[in-house]
Amino acid sequence: MPLRDEILKWTEGGHLKPGEASRAFAIAGVTPKLADWRRFVEALLLWTGSILVAAGVIFFFAYNWKSLPRLEKFGLGETLFAVAVIAAWRLGIERAAGKAALLGAALLTGALLALLGQTYQTGADTFELFGYWALLILPWVIVARFAALWLLWIGLLNLTVAAYFRAMTWGLFGVFFGTSGLLWALFALNVAALAGWEFGMWRGLTWLNRWGARVIGSLLGCYATSIALICLVDPHEIGTGAILAYLAWLGVMYVYYRWRVFDVFMLAGTLLSAIVVTTVFLGKQLLGHGDSAPGMLLIGLVIIAMSGAGAWWIREMLREQSMGATQ
Amino acid sequence: MTGELLWKQLSDEGLVSGEMPAKAESASPWPVRAMLGVAGWLAALFLLGFAGTAFAILFKSAEAALPVGAICCIAAFGIFRGVPASDFVGQFGFAISLAGQTLLMVGLTKFAGDRELSATFLAMAAVEALLAFAIPNYVHRVFTTLAANVFLLMALEKVGFAPLAPLIAAVGVAAVWRNDRMMAERPSIWEPIGYGFAIALLQVDGTLLFGDLLWTHARPAAHFLLWAGPLAVGLVFVFVVWQLRDRAGVAANSAGGIFALAAAMVIAVSGLFAPGIVAAVLVIVLGFANGKRVLLGLGLLAFAFYLAHFYYQLNSTLLMKSLVLSATGVCLLGLRWLMGRVMPAEAAAEAAHA
């Protein structure tokens, strides 16, 4: 239990006067010190400032200001882009300010590509914009050793795939690879991304962090759950093999995040997915055949039982884990 | 530092005495609580479906819905008081309470008939606030605090005072997370209520959960309120920064104090045009001050969500939005640059006390 929570337990239990909590926090070192505040304020100003400026530039180009001539628009965009790249180069990508500048340059790359398409009406599809954007910033992503930039890149790949399938939902391609094809592609992409991220962490790439894996894991969970739900509702749409893929995903998530890297976030998310899929399965079996009331009551109680048991199970795992750590 | 070592140090300081109390069972981690919250809602929907199918009258008359809703809430109170530690029973109580709250809402709406719903929403806000204090369950307290704020917003929308709802949420967030003594007296009450207020602020002022959905039926507010509401939230933010500066021991007239105030004012001014920025940064700052990484993460998530939503909001042009974001960003980056020049890191501590 974090020390702060421990102190609060003591105050609530009457072992420590509530008025002394602040002093106890200071003794425990859980109150930020001046140097911590300094680092925090610097980071807050740097990251919020950089993101707001980049967002402002993107909004500006999206406005498509008619009275601003084409040359000025490109001049402005390219100047800002050059400033960001030069700042990243001069500050160095090992420093936070250099990383922020590089992230800004990566975002501005997309803004410039959009401006190019908007000005010259290139006829390019949206997936091409995202695809080229991802391709162009790939060298920076590789050399920067910066988790946020990798997440941006993986996000762009997701958008590319989604836009590609949306653009191709006509003709024979649409018939064979419609919604199910999109979900399978996104599922496969994010399996690869999560596996790569975990592999990197396993190989000791300290600049990758667990929260990045959780972001990708959340996306993957949404796609895996969608595949299972479509399979349950309309097996012809996606094929009955989808449920096997889903079960395999459940198994891998449990084994990896229980035994290899203990991660409560991933386990709780996987459990929630299993509850949702079970609910839909039971709904399909029990509802819509005459009187629905008993089925609804049963499903409600099953959800309560599953989530209650799941919470107890995760807490038991947590207890085992903490006992193992202290031995 | 371990708990045992901390207890010894506090004992040496004379803050505690005797043996360290036995370690209480750790609370569930937040992902488990979030999972329980979502599953509780899902279960409540099916229980409501059961009640609505088996006893259709419940959804047709106020006379049936109101007493059954109240009984459900009282039953949930009894369940949580009677068996506070059981995950199964707690989850059952949560679902029963949610079903009860929905029935109360249905009953009050039926009771109001064709009349204006502001009183109905205000009554529901009061019910949710009462439940937040009465029912001793973490997830339930987070949810009911959020629900109370949302109902309050809906009530204020009906009378043209919607811009004041974010102020109430912001004051709630600041009051709970800034006051160590209050938190220390009853953390099991105030911490979940603090999270509920934070999520509410990030929704009503920052579009975190439902986007702009809650604002679509608002009666137009008086023009001065459109400015006064965000301005008041900005002042709450500046006040919080001022107090945290004081708590960190940074003198008001020192370089550090002036930078903190300047940055707070830049963000507060941006809130007049883009209120979600102030809401998110307020939660981020309070999350850091309290060592609550979940609160901090919530603020960061809301910041990203808000920027995405801000793009599509129709209250001003993209050019205006672009100017607001760029100007705020440039000011913040400028302050950061100046901070590095005027207060090099090693001199910061001395400068703060100058």
Coordinates of all heavy atoms in Angstrom, one line a residue, chain A residues 167-245:
Chain A
A167 N -12.5 3.2 -47.3 CA -12.4 3.6 -48.7 C -12.7 2.4 -49.7 O -13.1 2.6 -50.8 CB -11.0 4.2 -49.0
M168 N -12.5 1.2 -49.2 CA -12.6 0.0 -50.1 C -13.9 -0.8 -49.8 O -14.0 -1.9 -50.2 CB -11.4 -0.9 -49.9 CG -10.1 -0.3 -50.2 SD -10.0 0.2 -52.0 CE -8.5 1.1 -52.0
T169 N -14.9 -0.2 -49.2 CA -16.1 -1.0 -48.9 C -17.1 -1.0 -50.1 O -18.2 -0.8 -49.9 CB -16.8 -0.4 -47.7 OG1 -17.0 1.0 -47.8 CG2 -16.1 -0.7 -46.4
W170 N -16.6 -1.1 -51.2 CA -17.4 -1.3 -52.4 C -16.9 -2.4 -53.3 O -15.8 -2.9 -53.1 CB -17.5 0.0 -53.2 CG -16.1 0.7 -53.4 CD1 -15.6 1.7 -52.6 CD2 -15.1 0.4 -54.4 NE1 -14.4 2.0 -53.1 CE2 -14.0 1.2 -54.2 CE3 -15.1 -0.5 -55.4 CZ2 -12.9 1.2 -54.9 CZ3 -13.9 -0.6 -56.2 CH2 -12.8 0.3 -56.0
G171 N -17.7 -2.9 -54.2 CA -17.3 -3.9 -55.1 C -17.0 -5.2 -54.4 O -17.4 -5.5 -53.2
L172 N -16.2 -6.1 -55.0 CA -15.9 -7.4 -54.5 C -15.1 -7.3 -53.2 O -15.3 -8.1 -52.3 CB -15.1 -8.2 -55.5 CG -15.9 -8.9 -56.6 CD1 -15.0 -9.6 -57.6 CD2 -16.9 -9.8 -56.0
F173 N -14.2 -6.3 -53.1 CA -13.4 -6.1 -51.9 C -14.3 -5.9 -50.7 O -14.1 -6.5 -49.6 CB -12.5 -4.9 -52.1 CG -11.5 -4.8 -51.0 CD1 -10.2 -5.4 -51.1 CD2 -11.8 -4.1 -49.8 CE1 -9.3 -5.3 -50.1 CE2 -10.8 -4.0 -48.8 CZ -9.6 -4.6 -48.9
G174 N -15.3 -5.1 -50.9 CA -16.2 -4.8 -49.8 C -17.0 -6.0 -49.4 O -17.2 -6.2 -48.2
V175 N -17.4 -6.8 -50.4 CA -18.2 -8.0 -50.0 C -17.3 -9.0 -49.2 O -17.8 -9.5 -48.2 CB -18.6 -8.7 -51.3 CG1 -19.2 -10.1 -51.0 CG2 -19.6 -7.9 -52.1
F176 N -16.1 -9.2 -49.6 CA -15.3 -10.2 -48.9 C -14.5 -9.6 -47.6 O -14.2 -10.4 -46.7 CB -14.2 -10.8 -49.8 CG -14.9 -11.6 -50.9 CD1 -14.9 -11.2 -52.2 CD2 -15.5 -12.8 -50.5 CE1 -15.5 -12.0 -53.2 CE2 -16.1 -13.6 -51.5 CZ -16.1 -13.2 -52.8
F177 N -14.2 -8.4 -47.7 CA -13.4 -7.9 -46.6 C -14.0 -6.7 -45.9 O -13.3 -5.8 -45.4 CB -12.0 -7.4 -47.1 CG -11.3 -8.5 -47.8 CD1 -11.2 -8.6 -49.2 CD2 -10.7 -9.6 -47.1 CE1 -10.5 -9.6 -49.9 CE2 -10.0 -10.6 -47.8 CZ -10.0 -10.6 -49.2
G178 N -15.3 -6.6 -45.7 CA -16.0 -5.5 -45.1 C -15.6 -5.3 -43.7 O -14.4 -5.1 -43.3
T179 N -16.6 -5.3 -42.8 CA -16.3 -5.0 -41.4 C -15.4 -6.1 -40.8 O -14.5 -5.8 -40.0 CB -17.7 -5.1 -40.6 OG1 -18.6 -4.2 -41.3 CG2 -17.5 -4.7 -39.2
S180 N -15.6 -7.3 -41.1 CA -14.8 -8.4 -40.5 C -13.3 -8.2 -40.9 O -12.4 -8.4 -40.1 CB -15.3 -9.8 -40.9 OG -15.3 -9.9 -42.3
G181 N -13.1 -7.9 -42.2 CA -11.7 -7.7 -42.7 C -11.1 -6.5 -41.9 O -9.9 -6.7 -41.5
L182 N -11.8 -5.5 -41.7 CA -11.3 -4.3 -40.9 C -10.9 -4.7 -39.5 O -9.8 -4.4 -39.0 CB -12.3 -3.2 -40.9 CG -12.1 -2.1 -39.9 CD1 -10.9 -1.3 -40.4 CD2 -13.3 -1.1 -39.8
L183 N -11.8 -5.5 -38.9 CA -11.5 -5.9 -37.5 C -10.3 -6.8 -37.4 O -9.5 -6.7 -36.5 CB -12.8 -6.5 -36.9 CG -13.8 -5.5 -36.4 CD1 -15.1 -6.3 -36.0 CD2 -13.3 -4.6 -35.3
W184 N -10.3 -7.8 -38.3 CA -9.1 -8.7 -38.3 C -7.8 -8.0 -38.5 O -6.8 -8.3 -37.9 CB -9.3 -9.8 -39.4 CG -10.2 -10.9 -39.1 CD1 -11.3 -11.3 -39.7 CD2 -10.1 -11.8 -38.0 NE1 -11.9 -12.4 -39.1 CE2 -11.2 -12.7 -38.0 CE3 -9.2 -12.0 -37.0 CZ2 -11.4 -13.8 -37.1 CZ3 -9.3 -13.0 -36.0 CH2 -10.4 -13.9 -36.1
A185 N -7.8 -7.0 -39.5 CA -6.6 -6.3 -39.8 C -6.2 -5.5 -38.6 O -5.0 -5.5 -38.2 CB -6.8 -5.3 -41.0
L186 N -7.1 -4.8 -37.9 CA -6.8 -4.0 -36.7 C -6.3 -4.9 -35.6 O -5.4 -4.5 -34.8 CB -8.0 -3.1 -36.3 CG -8.3 -2.0 -37.3 CD1 -9.6 -1.3 -36.9 CD2 -7.2 -0.9 -37.3
F187 N -7.0 -6.0 -35.4 CA -6.6 -7.0 -34.4 C -5.2 -7.4 -34.6 O -4.3 -7.4 -33.7 CB -7.6 -8.2 -34.5 CG -7.3 -9.3 -33.5 CD1 -7.5 -9.1 -32.1 CD2 -6.8 -10.5 -33.9 CE1 -7.2 -10.1 -31.2 CE2 -6.5 -11.5 -33.0 CZ -6.7 -11.3 -31.6
A188 N -4.9 -7.8 -35.9 CA -3.5 -8.3 -36.2 C -2.5 -7.2 -36.0 O -1.4 -7.5 -35.4 CB -3.5 -8.8 -37.6
L189 N -2.8 -6.0 -36.4 CA -1.9 -4.9 -36.3 C -1.5 -4.7 -34.8 O -0.4 -4.5 -34.4 CB -2.5 -3.6 -36.9 CG -1.8 -2.3 -36.6 CD1 -0.4 -2.3 -37.3 CD2 -2.6 -1.1 -37.1
N190 N -2.6 -4.6 -34.0 CA -2.3 -4.3 -32.6 C -1.7 -5.5 -31.8 O -1.0 -5.3 -30.8 CB -3.6 -3.8 -31.9 CG -3.9 -2.4 -32.4 OD1 -3.3 -1.4 -32.1 ND2 -4.9 -2.3 -33.4
V191 N -2.0 -6.7 -32.2 CA -1.3 -7.9 -31.6 C 0.2 -7.7 -31.9 O 1.1 -7.8 -31.0 CB -1.8 -9.2 -32.2 CG1 -0.8 -10.3 -31.9 CG2 -3.1 -9.6 -31.7
A192 N 0.6 -7.3 -33.1 CA 2.0 -7.2 -33.5 C 2.6 -6.0 -32.7 O 3.7 -6.1 -32.2 CB 2.1 -6.9 -35.0
A193 N 1.8 -4.9 -32.6 CA 2.3 -3.7 -31.8 C 2.5 -4.0 -30.4 O 3.6 -3.7 -29.8 CB 1.3 -2.6 -32.0
L194 N 1.6 -4.7 -29.8 CA 1.7 -5.1 -28.3 C 2.9 -6.0 -28.1 O 3.7 -5.9 -27.2 CB 0.4 -5.6 -27.8 CG 0.4 -5.9 -26.3 CD1 0.7 -4.7 -25.5 CD2 -1.0 -6.5 -25.9
A195 N 3.0 -7.0 -29.0 CA 4.0 -8.0 -28.9 C 5.4 -7.3 -29.0 O 6.3 -7.6 -28.3 CB 3.9 -9.1 -29.9
G196 N 5.5 -6.4 -30.0 CA 6.7 -5.7 -30.2 C 7.1 -4.8 -29.0 O 8.2 -4.8 -28.6
W197 N 6.1 -4.1 -28.4 CA 6.3 -3.3 -27.3 C 6.8 -4.1 -26.1 O 7.7 -3.7 -25.4 CB 5.0 -2.6 -26.9 CG 5.1 -1.4 -26.0 CD1 5.4 -1.4 -24.7 CD2 5.1 0.0 -26.4 NE1 5.5 -0.1 -24.2 CE2 5.3 0.8 -25.3 CE3 4.9 0.7 -27.6 CZ2 5.3 2.2 -25.3 CZ3 4.9 2.0 -27.6 CH2 5.1 2.8 -26.5
E198 N 6.1 -5.2 -25.8 CA 6.5 -6.1 -24.7 C 7.9 -6.7 -24.9 O 8.7 -6.8 -24.0 CB 5.5 -7.2 -24.5 CG 4.1 -6.7 -24.0 CD 4.2 -6.2 -22.5 OE1 5.2 -6.3 -21.9 OE2 3.1 -5.7 -22.0
F199 N 8.2 -7.0 -26.2 CA 9.5 -7.6 -26.5 C 10.6 -6.5 -26.2 O 11.6 -6.8 -25.6 CB 9.5 -8.0 -28.0 CG 10.9 -8.6 -28.4 CD1 11.3 -9.8 -28.0 CD2 11.8 -7.8 -29.2 CE1 12.5 -10.4 -28.3 CE2 13.0 -8.4 -29.6 CZ 13.4 -9.6 -29.1
G200 N 10.3 -5.3 -26.6 CA 11.2 -4.2 -26.4 C 11.4 -4.0 -24.9 O 12.6 -3.8 -24.4
M201 N 10.4 -4.0 -24.1 CA 10.5 -3.9 -22.6 C 11.3 -5.0 -22.0 O 12.1 -4.9 -21.1 CB 9.1 -3.8 -22.0 CG 8.5 -2.4 -22.3 SD 7.0 -2.1 -21.3 CE 7.8 -1.8 -19.7
W202 N 11.0 -6.2 -22.6 CA 11.7 -7.4 -22.1 C 13.2 -7.4 -22.4 O 14.0 -7.8 -21.6 CB 11.1 -8.7 -22.7 CG 11.8 -10.0 -22.4 CD1 11.9 -10.5 -21.2 CD2 12.5 -10.8 -23.3 NE1 12.6 -11.7 -21.3 CE2 13.0 -11.9 -22.6 CE3 12.7 -10.7 -24.7 CZ2 13.7 -12.9 -23.2 CZ3 13.5 -11.8 -25.3 CH2 14.0 -12.8 -24.5
R203 N 13.5 -6.7 -23.6 CA 15.0 -6.6 -23.9 C 15.6 -5.4 -23.2 O 16.8 -5.1 -23.5 CB 15.1 -6.4 -25.4 CG 14.8 -7.6 -26.3 CD 15.7 -8.8 -25.9 NE 17.1 -8.5 -26.1 CZ 17.8 -8.8 -27.2 NH1 17.2 -9.5 -28.2 NH2 19.1 -8.5 -27.3
G204 N 14.9 -4.8 -22.3 CA 15.5 -3.7 -21.5 C 15.5 -2.3 -22.1 O 16.3 -1.5 -21.7
L205 N 14.6 -2.0 -23.0 CA 14.5 -0.7 -23.6 C 13.7 0.2 -22.5 O 12.5 0.2 -22.4 CB 13.7 -0.7 -24.9 CG 14.4 -1.5 -26.0 CD1 13.5 -1.4 -27.3 CD2 15.8 -0.9 -26.3
T206 N 14.5 0.8 -21.7 CA 13.9 1.5 -20.5 C 13.0 2.7 -20.9 O 12.2 3.1 -20.1 CB 15.0 2.0 -19.6 OG1 16.0 2.7 -20.3 CG2 15.7 0.8 -18.9
W207 N 13.2 3.2 -22.1 CA 12.4 4.4 -22.5 C 11.0 4.0 -22.9 O 10.1 4.8 -23.0 CB 13.0 5.2 -23.6 CG 13.5 4.3 -24.7 CD1 14.7 3.8 -24.9 CD2 12.8 3.9 -25.9 NE1 14.8 3.0 -26.0 CE2 13.6 3.1 -26.7 CE3 11.5 4.2 -26.3 CZ2 13.2 2.6 -27.9 CZ3 11.0 3.6 -27.5 CH2 11.9 2.8 -28.3
L208 N 10.8 2.7 -23.1 CA 9.4 2.2 -23.3 C 8.8 2.1 -21.9 O 9.5 1.7 -21.0 CB 9.4 0.8 -24.0 CG 9.7 0.8 -25.5 CD1 9.8 -0.6 -26.0 CD2 8.8 1.6 -26.3
N209 N 7.5 2.3 -21.8 CA 6.9 2.2 -20.5 C 5.6 1.4 -20.5 O 5.1 1.1 -21.5 CB 6.6 3.6 -19.9 CG 5.7 4.4 -20.8 OD1 4.7 4.0 -21.2 ND2 6.1 5.7 -21.1
R210 N 5.2 1.0 -19.3 CA 4.1 0.1 -19.2 C 2.8 0.7 -19.7 O 1.9 0.1 -20.2 CB 4.0 -0.4 -17.7 CG 3.0 -1.5 -17.5 CD 3.5 -2.8 -17.1 NE 4.6 -3.4 -17.8 CZ 4.4 -4.2 -18.9 NH1 3.2 -4.3 -19.4 NH2 5.4 -4.7 -19.6
W211 N 2.7 2.1 -19.5 CA 1.5 2.7 -19.9 C 1.2 2.6 -21.4 O 0.1 2.6 -21.9 CB 1.4 4.2 -19.4 CG 0.8 4.1 -18.1 CD1 1.4 4.3 -16.9 CD2 -0.6 3.8 -17.8 NE1 0.5 4.1 -15.9 CE2 -0.7 3.9 -16.4 CE3 -1.7 3.5 -18.6 CZ2 -1.9 3.6 -15.8 CZ3 -2.9 3.3 -17.9 CH2 -3.0 3.3 -16.5
G212 N 2.3 2.6 -22.2 CA 2.2 2.5 -23.6 C 1.6 1.1 -24.0 O 0.7 1.0 -24.8
A213 N 2.1 0.1 -23.3 CA 1.6 -1.3 -23.5 C 0.1 -1.3 -23.2 O -0.7 -1.9 -23.8 CB 2.3 -2.3 -22.7
R214 N -0.3 -0.6 -22.1 CA -1.7 -0.6 -21.7 C -2.6 0.1 -22.7 O -3.7 -0.3 -22.9 CB -1.8 0.1 -20.3 CG -1.3 -0.8 -19.2 CD -1.2 -0.1 -17.9 NE -0.6 -0.9 -16.9 CZ 0.0 -0.5 -15.8 NH1 0.0 0.8 -15.5 NH2 0.5 -1.3 -14.9
V215 N -2.1 1.2 -23.3 CA -2.9 1.9 -24.3 C -3.1 1.0 -25.5 O -4.3 0.8 -26.0 CB -2.1 3.2 -24.8 CG1 -2.8 3.8 -26.0 CG2 -2.1 4.2 -23.7
I216 N -2.0 0.3 -26.0 CA -2.2 -0.6 -27.1 C -3.1 -1.8 -26.7 O -3.9 -2.2 -27.4 CB -0.8 -1.1 -27.6 CG1 0.1 0.0 -28.0 CG2 -1.0 -2.1 -28.8 CD1 1.5 -0.3 -28.2
G217 N -2.9 -2.3 -25.5 CA -3.7 -3.4 -24.9 C -5.2 -3.0 -24.9 O -6.0 -3.9 -25.2
S218 N -5.5 -1.8 -24.6 CA -6.9 -1.4 -24.5 C -7.5 -1.4 -25.9 O -8.6 -1.9 -26.1 CB -7.0 0.1 -24.0 OG -6.5 0.1 -22.7
L219 N -6.7 -0.9 -26.9 CA -7.2 -0.9 -28.3 C -7.4 -2.3 -28.7 O -8.5 -2.7 -29.3 CB -6.1 -0.3 -29.2 CG -6.2 1.2 -29.5 CD1 -5.1 1.6 -30.5 CD2 -7.6 1.5 -30.2
L220 N -6.4 -3.2 -28.5 CA -6.5 -4.6 -28.9 C -7.7 -5.3 -28.2 O -8.4 -6.0 -28.9 CB -5.2 -5.3 -28.4 CG -5.1 -6.8 -28.7 CD1 -5.3 -7.0 -30.2 CD2 -3.7 -7.3 -28.3
G221 N -8.0 -5.0 -26.9 CA -9.1 -5.5 -26.2 C -10.4 -5.2 -26.9 O -11.3 -6.0 -27.0
C222 N -10.5 -3.9 -27.3 CA -11.8 -3.5 -28.0 C -12.0 -4.3 -29.3 O -13.1 -4.7 -29.6 CB -11.7 -2.0 -28.3 SG -11.8 -0.9 -26.9
Y223 N -10.9 -4.4 -30.1 CA -11.0 -5.2 -31.4 C -11.3 -6.6 -31.1 O -12.2 -7.2 -31.8 CB -9.8 -5.0 -32.2 CG -9.5 -3.6 -32.6 CD1 -8.2 -3.1 -32.5 CD2 -10.5 -2.7 -33.0 CE1 -7.9 -1.7 -32.8 CE2 -10.2 -1.4 -33.3 CZ -9.0 -0.9 -33.3 OH -8.7 0.4 -33.6
A224 N -10.6 -7.3 -30.1 CA -10.8 -8.7 -29.8 C -12.3 -8.9 -29.4 O -13.0 -9.8 -29.8 CB -9.9 -9.1 -28.8
T225 N -12.8 -8.0 -28.5 CA -14.2 -8.1 -28.0 C -15.2 -7.9 -29.2 O -16.1 -8.7 -29.3 CB -14.4 -7.1 -26.9 OG1 -13.4 -7.1 -26.0 CG2 -15.7 -7.3 -26.2
S226 N -14.9 -7.0 -30.1 CA -15.8 -6.8 -31.2 C -15.8 -8.0 -32.1 O -16.9 -8.4 -32.6 CB -15.3 -5.6 -32.0 OG -15.2 -4.4 -31.2
I227 N -14.7 -8.6 -32.3 CA -14.6 -9.8 -33.2 C -15.5 -10.9 -32.5 O -16.3 -11.6 -33.2 CB -13.2 -10.3 -33.3 CG1 -12.5 -9.4 -34.4 CG2 -13.1 -11.8 -33.8 CD1 -11.0 -9.7 -34.5
A228 N -15.4 -11.1 -31.2 CA -16.1 -12.2 -30.5 C -17.6 -11.8 -30.6 O -18.5 -12.7 -30.8 CB -15.7 -12.3 -29.1
L229 N -18.0 -10.6 -30.4 CA -19.4 -10.2 -30.4 C -20.0 -10.4 -31.7 O -21.1 -10.9 -31.9 CB -19.6 -8.7 -29.9 CG -19.2 -8.4 -28.5 CD1 -19.4 -7.0 -28.2 CD2 -19.9 -9.3 -27.5
I230 N -19.3 -10.0 -32.8 CA -19.9 -10.2 -34.2 C -20.0 -11.7 -34.4 O -21.0 -12.1 -35.0 CB -18.9 -9.5 -35.2 CG1 -19.0 -8.0 -35.1 CG2 -19.3 -10.0 -36.6 CD1 -18.2 -7.3 -36.0
C231 N -19.1 -12.5 -34.0 CA -19.1 -13.9 -34.2 C -20.4 -14.5 -33.5 O -21.0 -15.4 -34.0 CB -17.9 -14.6 -33.6 SG -17.8 -16.4 -33.9
L232 N -20.7 -14.0 -32.3 CA -21.8 -14.5 -31.5 C -23.1 -14.1 -32.2 O -24.1 -14.8 -32.3 CB -21.8 -14.0 -30.1 CG -20.7 -14.6 -29.2 CD1 -20.7 -14.0 -27.8 CD2 -21.0 -16.1 -29.0
V233 N -23.2 -12.8 -32.6 CA -24.4 -12.3 -33.2 C -24.7 -12.8 -34.6 O -25.8 -13.2 -34.9 CB -24.4 -10.7 -33.1 CG1 -25.6 -10.1 -33.8 CG2 -24.3 -10.2 -31.7
D234 N -23.6 -12.8 -35.4 CA -23.8 -13.2 -36.8 C -22.5 -14.0 -37.2 O -21.6 -13.4 -37.8 CB -24.0 -12.0 -37.7 CG -24.2 -12.4 -39.1 OD1 -24.4 -13.6 -39.4 OD2 -24.3 -11.5 -40.0
P235 N -22.5 -15.3 -37.0 CA -21.3 -16.1 -37.3 C -20.9 -16.1 -38.8 O -19.7 -16.2 -39.1 CB -21.7 -17.5 -36.8 CG -22.9 -17.4 -36.0 CD -23.5 -16.1 -36.4
H236 N -21.9 -15.9 -39.6 CA -21.6 -15.9 -41.1 C -20.7 -14.6 -41.5 O -20.0 -14.7 -42.4 CB -22.9 -15.9 -41.9 CG -23.7 -17.1 -41.6 ND1 -23.3 -18.4 -41.8 CD2 -24.9 -17.2 -41.0 CE1 -24.2 -19.2 -41.4 NE2 -25.3 -18.5 -40.9
E237 N -20.9 -13.6 -40.7 CA -20.2 -12.3 -41.1 C -18.7 -12.5 -40.9 O -17.9 -11.9 -41.7 CB -20.7 -11.2 -40.1 CG -19.9 -9.9 -40.1 CD -20.1 -9.1 -41.4 OE1 -21.1 -9.2 -42.0 OE2 -19.1 -8.4 -41.8
I238 N -18.3 -13.2 -39.9 CA -16.8 -13.2 -39.5 C -16.3 -14.6 -39.4 O -15.1 -14.8 -39.3 CB -16.6 -12.4 -38.2 CG1 -15.2 -11.9 -38.1 CG2 -17.0 -13.2 -37.0 CD1 -15.0 -10.8 -37.1
G239 N -17.1 -15.6 -39.4 CA -16.6 -17.0 -39.4 C -16.5 -17.5 -37.9 O -16.2 -16.7 -37.0
T240 N -16.9 -18.8 -37.7 CA -16.9 -19.3 -36.4 C -15.5 -19.4 -35.8 O -15.3 -19.5 -34.5 CB -17.6 -20.7 -36.3 OG1 -17.1 -21.4 -37.4 CG2 -19.1 -20.6 -36.4
G241 N -14.5 -19.4 -36.6 CA -13.1 -19.4 -36.1 C -12.8 -18.2 -35.2 O -11.8 -18.3 -34.5
A242 N -13.6 -17.2 -35.4 CA -13.3 -15.9 -34.7 C -13.3 -16.2 -33.2 O -12.5 -15.6 -32.4 CB -14.2 -14.8 -35.0
I243 N -14.2 -17.0 -32.7 CA -14.4 -17.3 -31.3 C -13.1 -18.0 -30.8 O -12.7 -17.8 -29.6 CB -15.7 -18.0 -31.0 CG1 -16.1 -17.7 -29.5 CG2 -15.6 -19.5 -31.1 CD1 -16.7 -16.3 -29.3
L244 N -12.5 -18.8 -31.6 CA -11.3 -19.5 -31.2 C -10.2 -18.5 -31.1 O -9.4 -18.6 -30.1 CB -10.9 -20.6 -32.2 CG -11.9 -21.7 -32.4 CD1 -11.4 -22.7 -33.5 CD2 -11.9 -22.5 -31.0
A245 N -10.1 -17.5 -32.0 CA -9.1 -16.5 -31.9 C -9.3 -15.7 -30.6 O -8.3 -15.3 -29.9 CB -9.2 -15.6 -33.1

